[in-house]
Amino acid sequence: MEQKNNPQEQDINQLLKVRREKLAALCENGKNPFEIMKYDVSHHSMEIKDNFETLKGQQVSVAGRIMSKRVMGKASFCNVQDLQGNIQSYVARDSIGEESYAYFKKYDIGDIVGIKGEVFETKTGEKSIHASEVTLLSKSLQILPEKFHGLTNTDIRYRQRYTDLIMNPDVKETFIKRSRIISSIRHYLDAKGFMEVETPMLVSNAGGASARPFETHYNALDEDVKLRISLELPLKRLIVGGMERVYEIGRVFRNEGVDTRHNPEFTLMELYQAYTDYIGMMDLTEDMFRHVAMEVNGTTKVTYGDVEIDLGKPFERMTMIEAVKKYSGVDFSEIQTTEEAKKIADEKHVEYEDRHKRGDILNLFFETFVEEHLVQPTFIMDHPVEISPLTKRKPENPDYVERFELFITCREMCNAYSELNDPIDQRERFMEQEKLLAQGDEEANHLDEDFLNALEIGMPPTGGIGYGIDRLVMLLTNSPAIRDVLLFPTMKPIDK
């Protein structure tokens, strides 16, 4: 039995055919829009609206995509969308000429046009352009999705971000704000004497974080290499070299799952400052978050979901032991051995692996009982040494290190250390990491002889920190998922 196509699909196919026929007719008449090389734009939509009193009666030229069109015999209206927003244009046959008007009437929603004309206000108060010239700059051969069902399918939105940006103004605003956030961070750090640098993405040893790297092969050197998982080790080498304040904003790659908080390719910022410690990094972080929020949003109060986050108040500071005791009732300062830690984990139904030590189990308690409560900005300090292979020990309590993580909306926003600069201690910790690798921990660090050599040359006392830029953008744009702040998030292939 022959299957009939969906009537809606037949309508769409016919409309697509008509668009191509219109393009063919334009080309036959020597008006191929794709042969136009440039168009001089004098103003954007919001610029005209915001400065209407000054521009009223003046000639302007704008360019953008036709989002709506209303043809009324000898005169028509169209709405053109550009970077800043949209503006109405009044297009009359007597103003642009009979031939041009005939072509204009055949233009489709989605076509890109340039419009020259005089700024005026309609009888209904709409700030508009009275067109004297309309130029077709690009022919749209597809139909914008809202024509039939709206762009509500999130999978299509992420795969076709270009269409998402056209149809959803809030999405474009999110990415404009993302750019402003990164720019604000740069201005803040530059003013503090930090220097922005670039370090390699392809490395022989992907260290500096607990994560599984992506691997590839460098044909020219016949060498297996990895995509970096962190920026840490090369930036510390620069501190050794005498660059006292450095930072990098760049992509890192971690071969892990995809969820609302994680994407295997994401933007990380790391900075390192000589002659300070993790307390200095706390002070800098708190001040920078307030600065960026104020500069980008005009306030230190951020609404995320249905919760107001106040970045203007002093951030709470708790040690990991204090936080675990507060939310689980277990005081790890009284637990001395791994056996005791495993026993209390069994009692509290906290799962662990045989290889885990007392410090690992403390961290598992933190993840199980504490993270979900850390809504307002909170620094969690003084992690166990077992989970901090690159961090200075606390002199008064060497089982713990001078490290903190900042949590906001129950999410880790950054991770900072008083950097370990003792090459002997660092070698011992690398050797412990090698043992973990041998036991099957694919996220453990490899020994890095060149980095150890740099530490032996001598690294000053240093504070360092890594920020998840995407999570900061999520916070300041009230975006629920990391895909909402990545222009091109990682997606499964369509055929899988």
Side-chain angles (χ1 to χ4, degrees), residues 168-324:
N168 297 316
D170 290 347
V171 171
K172 184 185 289 185
E173 182 58 34
T174 292
F175 289 104
I176 291 172
K177 189 172 283 189
R178 179 189 173 104
S179 178
R180 291 180 60 206
I181 289 167
I182 295 173
S183 178
S184 178
I185 291 170
R186 284 194 166 104
H187 291 156
Y188 176 87
L189 292 176
D190 292 346
K192 297 251 178 219
F194 284 84
M195 181 172 68
E196 185 173 9
V197 297
E198 295 175 301
T199 61
M201 290 190 183
L202 285 174
V203 294
S204 58
N205 186 355
S210 297
R212 182 191 301 178
F214 287 94
E215 299 181 3
T216 186
H217 186 76
Y218 187 8
N219 291 333
L221 297 179
D222 192 22
E223 177 189 7
D224 290 333
V225 292
K226 302 175 179 67
L227 288 170
R228 66 186 180 186
I229 60 172
S230 168
L231 312 173
E232 181 167 348
L233 300 185
L235 291 178
K236 284 183 179 178
R237 288 173 168 90
L238 299 181
I239 294 291
V240 171
M243 294 182 171
E244 295 183 0
R245 298 187 181 203
V246 294
Y247 75 95
E248 180 174 7
I249 300 174
R251 288 291 207 187
V252 296
F253 310 86
R254 298 182 181 179
N255 200 347
E256 57 188 19
V258 177
D259 58 30
T260 58
R261 302 185 189 187
H262 298 90
N263 194 75
E265 175 184 0
F266 64 98
T267 302
L268 183 65
M269 183 183 83
E270 293 197 31
L271 65 87
Y272 293 85
Q273 178 180 342
Y275 311 113
T276 191
D277 62 1
Y278 77 140
I279 301 299
M281 292 293 98
M282 272 191 231
D283 295 340
L284 181 147
T285 297
E286 195 165 338
D287 187 54
M288 188 180 77
F289 270 54
R290 289 195 188 106
H291 168 86
V292 173
M294 182 61 70
E295 191 167 275
V296 174
N297 286 346
T299 177
T300 57
K301 292 184 176 180
V302 177
T303 299
Y304 190 80
D306 56 359
V307 177
E308 183 177 87
I309 306 298
D310 192 348
L311 299 175
K313 292 182 179 179
F315 294 6
E316 187 175 1
R317 302 185 181 193
M318 285 192 292
T319 67
M320 184 175 281
I321 282 182
E322 290 170 344
V324 167

Side-chain angles (χ1 to χ4, degrees), residues 62-76:
V62 300
R65 190 179 301 275
I66 297 176
M67 299 303 291
S68 65
K69 195 174 76 155
R70 184 159 46 100
V71 177
M72 303 179 299
K74 298 179 181 180
S76 303

Side-chain angles (χ1 to χ4, degrees), residues 390-417:
L390 298 165
T391 315
K392 269 192 175 181
R393 297 176 190 262
K394 295 181 70 65
E396 71 279 10
N397 193 351
D399 288 338
Y400 297 88
V401 296
E402 294 194 344
R403 172 183 173 186
F404 74 79
E405 294 171 291
L406 172 62
F407 284 83
I408 305 176
T409 65
C410 312
R411 295 172 180 173
E412 177 199 333
M413 304 299 290
C414 63
N415 185 20
Y417 314 148

Side-chain angles (χ1 to χ4, degrees), residues 42-62:
S42 68
H43 295 79
H44 283 83
S45 55
M46 293 308 297
E47 187 181 358
I48 294 171
K49 293 178 179 180
D50 291 343
N51 298 280
F52 178 75
E53 295 303 324
T54 301
L55 293 173
K56 184 177 181 180
Q58 302 295 313
Q59 290 288 316
V60 297
S61 61
V62 300

